[in-house]
Amino acid sequence: MPELPEVETVKRQILPVVAGRVITSLEYIDRRNIKNISSKEFKRKIVGDKILDIERRAKYLFFKLKSGNWMVIHLGMAGRVLLKPDKYVKIIFGLSGGKKMYFSDTRLFGKIWLYTKYPELGLGPEPLEKSFKLGDFKKLVKSKRGNTKVVLMDQKFIAGIGNIYAAEALFVAGINPKRRMESLTDNEIAKLYKGIMKSLKAGIVHKGTSVSDFVGAIGQEGTNQNYLYVYGRKGEPCKKCRQPIHKISLGQRGTYFCSKCQN
Ligand SMILES: [Zn+2]
């Protein structure tokens, strides 16, 4: 599933092309991704509106429209927002100046909503916001109990981290994913904060992790899969200590870690 770095990558790639353009037409191949409004109503409302800006919040893309409405897209498992079509296109947005934006989805877990005002989705803080300091993270951690990795993936706790970046952040921090949040020392919390920052930033620099379906807006794969320490590397040697990487199940998710480097 695309996480913060993948969604941020898509945002950065589509924003310069679509911002300032009017949505001149809408064509459905499949209507099932439209969620809080009928597909007919969605089309009636969105055609003629203008895209002013796109914000990324957690794993969501928020399209700010001139009417005051917000179109919100969640890519789900395999959703894509593209500037070039692929064979799974479900919705085609015609834009002024002859441009097009495509919503594609192989598995139909992607979701599109239209809201009349900025929607409050009850998400936790954005880890890469400059205002999000170590002190804020410490307060958050101290307010929460439970398995560390499961908590990191809770979008109400902190926004945008999923299975890949939770595993990577814990490796960088040297923390075993089985640890409980309430057992972390101040020093470990500081290491985890740094691990989160480092892992998410690496994902953005490498334009996303393409281990399953993720591609950027022009269909290109990211390269962050080549830089992962633990995720997807079961049995392969740890990049720090050469011991084989373990895979266990935690909160029903495959969890990768090094039992020597992570305590
Ligand atoms: Zn190791």
Side-chain angles (χ1 to χ4, degrees):
M1 179 192 277
E3 302 179 29
L4 186 158
E6 288 73 43
V7 180
E8 180 66 25
T9 297
V10 171
K11 188 203 96 172
R12 290 183 185 188
Q13 291 171 339
I14 58 175
L15 180 63
V17 178
V18 308
R21 294 192 192 270
V22 174
I23 299 167
T24 53
S25 66
L26 189 84
E27 185 189 332
Y28 290 116
I29 315 295
D30 194 310
R31 299 164 182 256
R32 287 177 288 176
N33 294 102
I34 308 290
K35 292 301 167 189
N36 64 337
I37 183 170
S38 75
S39 58
K40 202 173 162 189
E41 188 76 344
F42 179 83
K43 180 173 178 174
R44 191 183 68 73
K45 285 194 169 164
I46 208 154
V47 172
D49 213 339
K50 187 177 184 177
I51 301 170
L52 298 182
D53 196 8
I54 308 171
E55 294 176 12
R56 183 200 50 75
R57 183 80 177 89
K59 305 173 189 173
Y60 297 84
L61 293 168
F62 281 52
F63 288 70
K64 184 182 187 181
L65 303 173
K66 198 178 176 193
S67 62
N69 288 345
W70 291 83
M71 174 173 71
V72 177
I73 297 182
H74 191 284
L75 300 175
M77 298 295 284
R80 293 169 171 176
V81 179
L82 300 168
L83 298 170
K84 276 182 183 174
D86 66 10
K87 56 183 177 176
Y88 309 110
V89 167
K90 301 290 183 266
I91 303 169
I92 304 168
F93 296 84
L95 304 174
S96 53
K99 298 280 180 189
K100 281 178 178 169
M101 181 176 82
Y102 304 87
F103 181 77
S104 146
D105 198 0
T106 53
R107 302 204 239 171
L108 288 165
F109 289 117
K111 294 183 172 72
I112 302 179
W113 300 266
L114 192 68
Y115 293 101
T116 52
K117 59 183 174 62
Y118 192 89
E120 282 306 327
L121 301 178
L123 299 161
E126 283 291 327
L128 295 184
E129 281 290 313
K130 283 199 176 70
S131 57
F132 186 68
K133 305 275 193 234
L134 173 59
D136 303 307
F137 184 61
K138 253 185 198 165
K139 263 185 221 156
L140 264 187
V141 169
K142 305 246 178 203
S143 73
K144 193 87 182 172
R145 300 173 68 84
N147 171 269
T148 302
K149 177 167 172 268
V150 173
V151 170
L152 282 182
M153 291 169 57
D154 177 357
Q155 301 304 300
K156 292 184 174 72
F157 175 75
I158 192 166
I161 301 172
N163 206 28
I164 297 173
Y165 295 95
E168 293 296 301
L170 285 164
F171 178 84
V172 173
I175 296 169
N176 189 302
K178 289 183 273 189
R179 289 279 299 281
R180 288 186 65 84
M181 225 32 160
E182 60 270 30
S183 77
L184 300 182
T185 64
D186 280 3
N187 186 32
E188 285 174 326
I189 295 171
K191 282 183 180 167
L192 184 54
Y193 174 81
K194 274 190 200 153
I196 290 169
M197 300 298 156
K198 200 180 158 196
S199 306
L200 293 175
K201 283 178 186 167
I204 294 172
V205 165
H206 300 128
K207 298 187 167 64
T209 302
S210 295
V211 282
S212 51
D213 298 292
F214 176 72
V215 294
I218 48 172
Q220 80 291 17
E221 293 197 336
T223 60
N224 198 52
Q225 60 279 11
N226 303 322
Y227 301 90
L228 297 175
Y229 288 106
V230 288
Y231 183 86
R233 300 191 65 244
K234 183 189 175 191
E236 291 177 42
C238 171
K239 291 181 178 178
K240 265 191 194 163
C241 76
R242 312 308 292 169
Q243 295 282 317
I245 298 296
H246 291 279
K247 184 185 182 190
I248 56 167
S249 182
L250 258 183
Q252 286 142 14
R253 301 298 300 274
T255 298
Y256 300 86
F257 70 106
C258 174
S259 60
K260 200 174 172 198
C261 296
Q262 294 175 256
N263 300 300

